[in-house]
């Protein structure tokens, strides 16, 4: 299991921007892809974006396409999520995760999870 540490969360105004890093020290060769999910109170964990570690293939949830950017720094073993034009309903705990096999946009395909970082979006 890969240890993941999200950071960069904090209060942001609606329409504002925030960038979240996720450090993955000790990432192994078995990590195929890394992703961001989010979970709001009373809701299921929602897929946001995923990137393959080697090839950099990217897929976004339709709800964030054009506003969020996922990226990774292989040398630093760090995943990033740049979030622009944040909406109040996107207040959530944001999680990074890793998959050992090519994943679907579903939490069940990811085996390692960080503890999450809170992103309170004020209206």
């Amino acid at each position: 299991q890969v240890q993941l540490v999200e950071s960069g969360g904090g209060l942001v105004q609606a329409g504002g921007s925030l960038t979240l890093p996720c450090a993955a020290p000790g990432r192994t060769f078995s990590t195929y892809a890394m992703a961001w999910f989010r979970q709001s109170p009373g809701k299921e964990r929602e897929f946001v974006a995923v990137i393959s570690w080697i090839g950099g293939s990217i897929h976004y949830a339709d709800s964030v396409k054009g506003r969020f950017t996922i990226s990774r720094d292989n040398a630093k073993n760090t995943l990033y999520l740049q979030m622009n034009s944040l909406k109040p309903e996107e207040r959530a705990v944001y999680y990074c995760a890793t998959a050992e096999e090519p994943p679907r946009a579903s939490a069940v395909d990811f085996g390692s999870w960080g503890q999450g970082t809170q992103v309170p979006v004020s209206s």
Side-chain angles (χ1 to χ4, degrees):
Q1 181 170 276
V2 179
Q3 290 186 313
L4 303 170
V5 182
E6 305 98 334
S7 61
L11 180 64
V12 61
Q13 299 287 333
S17 299
L18 198 66
T19 297
L20 306 178
C22 173
R27 182 188 63 85
T28 72
F29 64 90
S30 64
T31 299
Y32 180 86
M34 296 186 68
W36 289 96
F37 288 77
R38 63 189 178 192
Q39 189 165 21
S40 300
K43 296 184 177 180
E44 295 183 355
R45 192 162 296 188
E46 176 189 23
F47 168 77
V48 176
V50 64
I51 184 168
S52 63
W53 199 252
I54 302 301
S57 179
I58 293 172
H59 299 279
Y60 293 100
D62 288 343
S63 62
V64 306
K65 191 174 297 183
R67 297 187 297 116
F68 289 14
T69 302
I70 188 172
S71 62
R72 83 279 191 266
D73 187 326
N74 294 45
K76 296 180 179 180
N77 287 333
T78 302
L79 179 74
Y80 300 92
L81 182 67
Q82 180 182 326
M83 304 182 291
N84 297 325
S85 301
L86 281 160
K87 303 174 181 180
E89 60 266 32
E90 293 176 317
R91 174 186 179 184
V93 177
Y94 284 71
Y95 299 89
C96 62
T98 65
E100 304 302 303
E101 302 289 340
R104 300 163 296 173
S106 173
V108 301
D109 284 358
F110 292 81
S112 296
W113 295 84
Q115 294 300 304
T117 186
Q118 291 187 322
V119 180
V121 182
S122 63
S123 60

